[in-house]
Amino acid sequence: MTTHLALIERTQTLIAAGDIVGAESALVELADAEGDAALMVVLEQLPPKDVLAVIREYDNSRESVVGLLVSPAQFARAVVIEKLYKDLTRTHLRGMVNAVIFREDADPVEFLTAIGDLDGGAEALADYFSDQWSRVEGFARSGSFEPADEYGKMLSQSALLASAWEKPRVQQDEIADRDWMQLAWILRYELPDLFIEMLMVLRAKVSAHQAAAPEDEEEAEDDGKVETGDTDRGKATPTARESDEESAI
């Protein structure tokens, strides 16, 4: 345990210094020397913000040992605080969610349930889908991923609840891309309550950004920014209006 405490301190020092690669290497060394069980013990003792600092730096070219071993509860705690990084593109959020939830030994429902059980979990999932909101809305309405008509009628929460157990129009294996479509499918058909909660949050976020847009877009100063009304129909995401403020972490 003394060795583990020293490793925890070293890992946290490296993370605080911004050396994420060094921190992950230290954890990998422990797994190589003492096995995965030892690493899992250390991960349990690391604060969520430090676990997040490591797993959000995903790399599609290789598998992260930490990402492979992080538990649903640990991962959920990390996901709900990812917004503190103020990553407007949500690239890191989507990357780490896809890498962990769709890893070979994982049960996506178990991970998503752990996220949904935490305050801020539905908001984190809404952020994950932020640049695909119209297609997620279309999926909620029709069961297909055609983008929703901007002026089309959205299903009410009660209507969504009533349609929660409809048979899928699209089978999971047709959209098993280990990305947002598959995640949306799992939420709608295996965790419908969480899907509806996430969609309500996503709608609120989109509405807030649209309300903040200039009333007369033609007179708005052309400063290189794209208005939120464009969203994923071609130009920007609903989160594009958020502050560029530096990370709080």
Side-chain angles (χ1 to χ4, degrees):
M1 180 58 70
T2 301
T3 302
H4 290 173
L5 291 175
L7 174 62
I8 291 170
E9 182 178 353
R10 178 187 170 198
T11 300
Q12 291 185 283
T13 299
L14 289 167
I15 291 172
D19 187 0
I20 307 302
V21 173
E24 184 174 19
S25 295
L27 296 171
V28 170
E29 288 173 9
L30 172 65
D32 289 342
E34 300 185 32
D36 292 349
L39 177 54
M40 293 173 73
V41 169
V42 168
L43 291 178
E44 285 285 357
Q45 297 177 70
L46 281 174
K49 67 180 181 64
D50 292 331
V51 174
L52 172 62
V54 175
I55 62 176
R56 79 186 298 270
E57 298 299 328
Y58 73 100
D59 182 346
N60 288 331
S61 67
R62 64 180 180 82
E63 291 183 325
S64 165
V65 171
V66 176
L68 290 172
L69 296 178
V70 67
S71 72
Q74 292 164 347
F75 185 66
R77 290 193 293 270
V79 165
V80 298
I81 63 173
E82 204 278 338
K83 62 185 177 183
L84 296 178
Y85 279 91
K86 299 187 185 299
D87 174 15
L88 303 186
T89 67
R90 313 299 186 195
T91 300
H92 289 277
L93 175 62
R94 288 192 296 270
M96 71 176 188
V97 167
N98 291 344
V100 172
I101 287 182
F102 293 119
R103 72 191 191 196
E104 290 301 324
D105 68 330
D107 177 359
V109 171
E110 185 177 5
F111 277 89
L112 291 169
T113 298
I115 294 171
D117 285 344
L118 294 182
D119 288 341
E123 181 181 359
L125 290 172
D127 286 341
Y128 172 94
F129 289 111
S130 60
D131 69 342
Q132 300 291 349
W133 73 269
S134 68
R135 297 183 71 182
V136 172
E137 189 68 57
F139 180 57
R141 183 188 306 172
S142 67
S144 72
F145 286 101
E146 290 299 318
D149 184 340
E150 184 173 3
Y151 302 103
K153 184 178 179 181
M154 292 182 181
L155 293 181
S156 66
Q157 188 168 359
S158 59
L160 287 170
L161 287 168
S163 65
W165 301 105
E166 291 180 355
K167 294 183 64 175
R169 287 185 56 188
V170 177
Q171 298 303 313
Q172 184 178 178
D173 58 3
E174 296 178 57
I175 44 86
D177 58 354
R178 295 174 177 260
D179 202 352
W180 69 270
M181 282 190 184
Q182 187 173 1
L183 196 65
W185 193 100
I186 293 170
L187 282 171
R188 180 176 179 186
Y189 294 115
E190 299 193 35
L191 296 167
D193 289 340
L194 179 55
F195 177 74
I196 294 169
E197 183 181 2
M198 178 280 297
L199 186 59
M200 295 298 105
V201 176
L202 185 56
R203 285 178 177 179
K205 285 177 175 287
V206 171
S207 295
H209 285 293
Q210 289 177 335
E215 290 185 5
D216 188 350
E217 295 184 0
E218 291 183 359
E219 295 181 3
E221 181 179 349
D222 183 10
D223 58 0
K225 294 182 179 179
V226 181
E227 298 305 332
T228 55
D230 291 318
T231 62
D232 62 328
R233 293 184 183 83
K235 295 185 180 179
T237 74
T239 55
R241 301 289 299 184
E242 292 184 10
S243 169
D244 290 329
E245 181 182 347
E246 288 293 325
S247 166
I249 297 184

mmCIF file of all heavy atoms in Angstrom, residues 22-49:
data_model
loop_
_atom_site.group_PDB
_atom_site.id
_atom_site.type_symbol
_atom_site.label_atom_id
_atom_site.label_comp_id
_atom_site.label_asym_id
_atom_site.label_seq_id
_atom_site.Cartn_x
_atom_site.Cartn_y
_atom_site.Cartn_z
ATOM 1 N N GLY A 22 3.049 11.143 -18.948
ATOM 2 C CA GLY A 22 3.857 10.605 -17.860
ATOM 3 C C GLY A 22 3.014 9.963 -16.789
ATOM 4 O O GLY A 22 3.370 8.903 -16.227
ATOM 5 N N ALA A 23 1.869 10.576 -16.486
ATOM 6 C CA ALA A 23 0.976 10.021 -15.474
ATOM 7 C C ALA A 23 0.419 8.667 -15.916
ATOM 8 O O ALA A 23 0.393 7.707 -15.136
ATOM 9 C CB ALA A 23 -0.164 10.997 -15.198
ATOM 10 N N GLU A 24 0.008 8.591 -17.172
ATOM 11 C CA GLU A 24 -0.520 7.326 -17.673
ATOM 12 C C GLU A 24 0.581 6.264 -17.710
ATOM 13 O O GLU A 24 0.335 5.092 -17.382
ATOM 14 C CB GLU A 24 -1.119 7.502 -19.058
ATOM 15 C CG GLU A 24 -1.768 6.224 -19.582
ATOM 16 C CD GLU A 24 -2.489 6.422 -20.904
ATOM 17 O OE1 GLU A 24 -2.215 7.416 -21.600
ATOM 18 O OE2 GLU A 24 -3.332 5.562 -21.236
ATOM 19 N N SER A 25 1.779 6.654 -18.058
ATOM 20 C CA SER A 25 2.893 5.705 -18.091
ATOM 21 C C SER A 25 3.165 5.129 -16.714
ATOM 22 O O SER A 25 3.459 3.928 -16.567
ATOM 23 C CB SER A 25 4.153 6.382 -18.626
ATOM 24 O OG SER A 25 3.984 6.764 -19.984
ATOM 25 N N ALA A 26 3.065 5.969 -15.694
ATOM 26 C CA ALA A 26 3.282 5.503 -14.319
ATOM 27 C C ALA A 26 2.231 4.467 -13.933
ATOM 28 O O ALA A 26 2.541 3.457 -13.274
ATOM 29 C CB ALA A 26 3.247 6.691 -13.361
ATOM 30 N N LEU A 27 0.993 4.700 -14.358
ATOM 31 C CA LEU A 27 -0.079 3.749 -14.055
ATOM 32 C C LEU A 27 0.097 2.448 -14.833
ATOM 33 O O LEU A 27 -0.157 1.358 -14.318
ATOM 34 C CB LEU A 27 -1.431 4.383 -14.368
ATOM 35 C CG LEU A 27 -1.799 5.600 -13.513
ATOM 36 C CD1 LEU A 27 -3.052 6.290 -14.061
ATOM 37 C CD2 LEU A 27 -2.011 5.205 -12.060
ATOM 38 N N VAL A 28 0.557 2.571 -16.069
ATOM 39 C CA VAL A 28 0.798 1.374 -16.886
ATOM 40 C C VAL A 28 1.916 0.536 -16.282
ATOM 41 O O VAL A 28 1.849 -0.703 -16.263
ATOM 42 C CB VAL A 28 1.143 1.774 -18.335
ATOM 43 C CG1 VAL A 28 1.628 0.561 -19.133
ATOM 44 C CG2 VAL A 28 -0.062 2.395 -19.020
ATOM 45 N N GLU A 29 2.946 1.194 -15.773
ATOM 46 C CA GLU A 29 4.052 0.484 -15.129
ATOM 47 C C GLU A 29 3.559 -0.344 -13.950
ATOM 48 O O GLU A 29 4.015 -1.469 -13.727
ATOM 49 C CB GLU A 29 5.114 1.478 -14.666
ATOM 50 C CG GLU A 29 5.918 2.107 -15.806
ATOM 51 C CD GLU A 29 6.846 3.205 -15.308
ATOM 52 O OE1 GLU A 29 6.984 3.352 -14.061
ATOM 53 O OE2 GLU A 29 7.426 3.925 -16.138
ATOM 54 N N LEU A 30 2.607 0.220 -13.196
ATOM 55 C CA LEU A 30 2.045 -0.530 -12.071
ATOM 56 C C LEU A 30 1.306 -1.765 -12.567
ATOM 57 O O LEU A 30 1.469 -2.864 -12.017
ATOM 58 C CB LEU A 30 1.092 0.361 -11.274
ATOM 59 C CG LEU A 30 0.292 -0.356 -10.174
ATOM 60 C CD1 LEU A 30 1.227 -0.873 -9.084
ATOM 61 C CD2 LEU A 30 -0.763 0.565 -9.581
ATOM 62 N N ALA A 31 0.499 -1.610 -13.606
ATOM 63 C CA ALA A 31 -0.245 -2.751 -14.144
ATOM 64 C C ALA A 31 0.699 -3.818 -14.666
ATOM 65 O O ALA A 31 0.471 -5.025 -14.463
ATOM 66 C CB ALA A 31 -1.181 -2.275 -15.258
ATOM 67 N N ASP A 32 1.788 -3.408 -15.318
ATOM 68 C CA ASP A 32 2.760 -4.369 -15.837
ATOM 69 C C ASP A 32 3.465 -5.113 -14.703
ATOM 70 O O ASP A 32 3.753 -6.311 -14.818
ATOM 71 C CB ASP A 32 3.799 -3.647 -16.699
ATOM 72 C CG ASP A 32 3.224 -3.158 -18.017
ATOM 73 O OD1 ASP A 32 2.149 -3.657 -18.415
ATOM 74 O OD2 ASP A 32 3.839 -2.277 -18.646
ATOM 75 N N ALA A 33 3.740 -4.386 -13.622
ATOM 76 C CA ALA A 33 4.499 -4.987 -12.523
ATOM 77 C C ALA A 33 3.634 -5.807 -11.569
ATOM 78 O O ALA A 33 4.053 -6.875 -11.107
ATOM 79 C CB ALA A 33 5.217 -3.884 -11.732
ATOM 80 N N GLU A 34 2.415 -5.324 -11.292
ATOM 81 C CA GLU A 34 1.606 -5.972 -10.255
ATOM 82 C C GLU A 34 0.261 -6.477 -10.744
ATOM 83 O O GLU A 34 -0.493 -7.089 -9.984
ATOM 84 C CB GLU A 34 1.394 -5.004 -9.086
ATOM 85 C CG GLU A 34 2.691 -4.538 -8.429
ATOM 86 C CD GLU A 34 2.435 -3.677 -7.203
ATOM 87 O OE1 GLU A 34 1.412 -3.906 -6.522
ATOM 88 O OE2 GLU A 34 3.236 -2.770 -6.947
ATOM 89 N N GLY A 35 -0.049 -6.216 -12.002
ATOM 90 C CA GLY A 35 -1.302 -6.717 -12.553
ATOM 91 C C GLY A 35 -2.418 -5.675 -12.581
ATOM 92 O O GLY A 35 -2.343 -4.633 -11.931
ATOM 93 N N ASP A 36 -3.460 -6.002 -13.329
ATOM 94 C CA ASP A 36 -4.589 -5.080 -13.493
ATOM 95 C C ASP A 36 -5.300 -4.794 -12.178
ATOM 96 O O ASP A 36 -5.794 -3.685 -11.957
ATOM 97 C CB ASP A 36 -5.591 -5.662 -14.494
ATOM 98 C CG ASP A 36 -5.039 -5.714 -15.905
ATOM 99 O OD1 ASP A 36 -3.972 -5.106 -16.153
ATOM 100 O OD2 ASP A 36 -5.666 -6.367 -16.760
ATOM 101 N N ALA A 37 -5.365 -5.790 -11.294
ATOM 102 C CA ALA A 37 -6.073 -5.603 -10.025
ATOM 103 C C ALA A 37 -5.439 -4.485 -9.209
ATOM 104 O O ALA A 37 -6.135 -3.680 -8.576
ATOM 105 C CB ALA A 37 -6.087 -6.903 -9.230
ATOM 106 N N ALA A 38 -4.110 -4.414 -9.225
ATOM 107 C CA ALA A 38 -3.415 -3.360 -8.485
ATOM 108 C C ALA A 38 -3.748 -1.989 -9.066
ATOM 109 O O ALA A 38 -3.957 -1.018 -8.332
ATOM 110 C CB ALA A 38 -1.915 -3.608 -8.511
ATOM 111 N N LEU A 39 -3.784 -1.905 -10.382
ATOM 112 C CA LEU A 39 -4.121 -0.634 -11.018
ATOM 113 C C LEU A 39 -5.547 -0.227 -10.680
ATOM 114 O O LEU A 39 -5.823 0.952 -10.431
ATOM 115 C CB LEU A 39 -3.945 -0.735 -12.529
ATOM 116 C CG LEU A 39 -4.339 0.501 -13.346
ATOM 117 C CD1 LEU A 39 -3.619 1.747 -12.833
ATOM 118 C CD2 LEU A 39 -4.045 0.291 -14.819
ATOM 119 N N MET A 40 -6.446 -1.175 -10.651
ATOM 120 C CA MET A 40 -7.839 -0.861 -10.326
ATOM 121 C C MET A 40 -7.961 -0.322 -8.903
ATOM 122 O O MET A 40 -8.772 0.574 -8.630
ATOM 123 C CB MET A 40 -8.713 -2.101 -10.528
ATOM 124 C CG MET A 40 -8.819 -2.523 -11.998
ATOM 125 S SD MET A 40 -9.687 -4.090 -12.261
ATOM 126 C CE MET A 40 -11.376 -3.572 -11.924
ATOM 127 N N VAL A 41 -7.150 -0.842 -7.986
ATOM 128 C CA VAL A 41 -7.138 -0.336 -6.610
ATOM 129 C C VAL A 41 -6.699 1.126 -6.590
ATOM 130 O O VAL A 41 -7.280 1.969 -5.903
ATOM 131 C CB VAL A 41 -6.218 -1.188 -5.714
ATOM 132 C CG1 VAL A 41 -5.997 -0.514 -4.355
ATOM 133 C CG2 VAL A 41 -6.807 -2.579 -5.511
ATOM 134 N N VAL A 42 -5.663 1.441 -7.355
ATOM 135 C CA VAL A 42 -5.158 2.814 -7.421
ATOM 136 C C VAL A 42 -6.197 3.739 -8.048
ATOM 137 O O VAL A 42 -6.423 4.860 -7.575
ATOM 138 C CB VAL A 42 -3.832 2.867 -8.200
ATOM 139 C CG1 VAL A 42 -3.449 4.304 -8.530
ATOM 140 C CG2 VAL A 42 -2.722 2.199 -7.396
ATOM 141 N N LEU A 43 -6.845 3.283 -9.122
ATOM 142 C CA LEU A 43 -7.857 4.107 -9.776
ATOM 143 C C LEU A 43 -8.994 4.450 -8.819
ATOM 144 O O LEU A 43 -9.553 5.555 -8.869
ATOM 145 C CB LEU A 43 -8.414 3.396 -11.012
ATOM 146 C CG LEU A 43 -7.462 3.241 -12.198
ATOM 147 C CD1 LEU A 43 -8.142 2.464 -13.328
ATOM 148 C CD2 LEU A 43 -7.011 4.602 -12.703
ATOM 149 N N GLU A 44 -9.334 3.511 -7.931
ATOM 150 C CA GLU A 44 -10.395 3.763 -6.954
ATOM 151 C C GLU A 44 -10.022 4.897 -6.004
ATOM 152 O O GLU A 44 -10.892 5.584 -5.476
ATOM 153 C CB GLU A 44 -10.690 2.489 -6.152
ATOM 154 C CG GLU A 44 -11.471 1.431 -6.900
ATOM 155 C CD GLU A 44 -12.941 1.789 -7.038
ATOM 156 O OE1 GLU A 44 -13.363 2.842 -6.504
ATOM 157 O OE2 GLU A 44 -13.666 1.027 -7.696
ATOM 158 N N GLN A 45 -8.722 5.086 -5.796
ATOM 159 C CA GLN A 45 -8.264 6.091 -4.839
ATOM 160 C C GLN A 45 -7.939 7.435 -5.485
ATOM 161 O O GLN A 45 -7.767 8.429 -4.782
ATOM 162 C CB GLN A 45 -7.036 5.567 -4.100
ATOM 163 C CG GLN A 45 -7.321 4.318 -3.272
ATOM 164 C CD GLN A 45 -6.073 3.760 -2.612
ATOM 165 O OE1 GLN A 45 -5.527 4.369 -1.694
ATOM 166 N NE2 GLN A 45 -5.611 2.626 -3.093
ATOM 167 N N LEU A 46 -7.869 7.468 -6.804
ATOM 168 C CA LEU A 46 -7.623 8.732 -7.484
ATOM 169 C C LEU A 46 -8.898 9.565 -7.538
ATOM 170 O O LEU A 46 -9.978 9.023 -7.786
ATOM 171 C CB LEU A 46 -7.120 8.486 -8.902
ATOM 172 C CG LEU A 46 -5.652 8.109 -9.092
ATOM 173 C CD1 LEU A 46 -5.391 7.773 -10.561
ATOM 174 C CD2 LEU A 46 -4.733 9.239 -8.645
ATOM 175 N N PRO A 47 -8.810 10.869 -7.337
ATOM 176 C CA PRO A 47 -9.994 11.727 -7.488
ATOM 177 C C PRO A 47 -10.525 11.656 -8.918
ATOM 178 O O PRO A 47 -9.747 11.464 -9.865
ATOM 179 C CB PRO A 47 -9.457 13.133 -7.172
ATOM 180 C CG PRO A 47 -8.193 12.911 -6.406
ATOM 181 C CD PRO A 47 -7.619 11.631 -6.942
ATOM 182 N N PRO A 48 -11.838 11.802 -9.108
ATOM 183 C CA PRO A 48 -12.419 11.748 -10.454
ATOM 184 C C PRO A 48 -11.749 12.690 -11.446
ATOM 185 O O PRO A 48 -11.578 12.349 -12.615
ATOM 186 C CB PRO A 48 -13.882 12.132 -10.223
ATOM 187 C CG PRO A 48 -14.156 11.702 -8.822
ATOM 188 C CD PRO A 48 -12.878 11.942 -8.079
ATOM 189 N N LYS A 49 -11.342 13.873 -10.979
ATOM 190 C CA LYS A 49 -10.724 14.836 -11.901
ATOM 191 C C LYS A 49 -9.396 14.316 -12.443
ATOM 192 O O LYS A 49 -9.010 14.644 -13.575
ATOM 193 C CB LYS A 49 -10.519 16.187 -11.217
ATOM 194 C CG LYS A 49 -9.501 16.206 -10.091
ATOM 195 C CD LYS A 49 -9.388 17.589 -9.482
ATOM 196 C CE LYS A 49 -8.350 17.643 -8.373
ATOM 197 N NZ LYS A 49 -6.988 17.373 -8.873
#
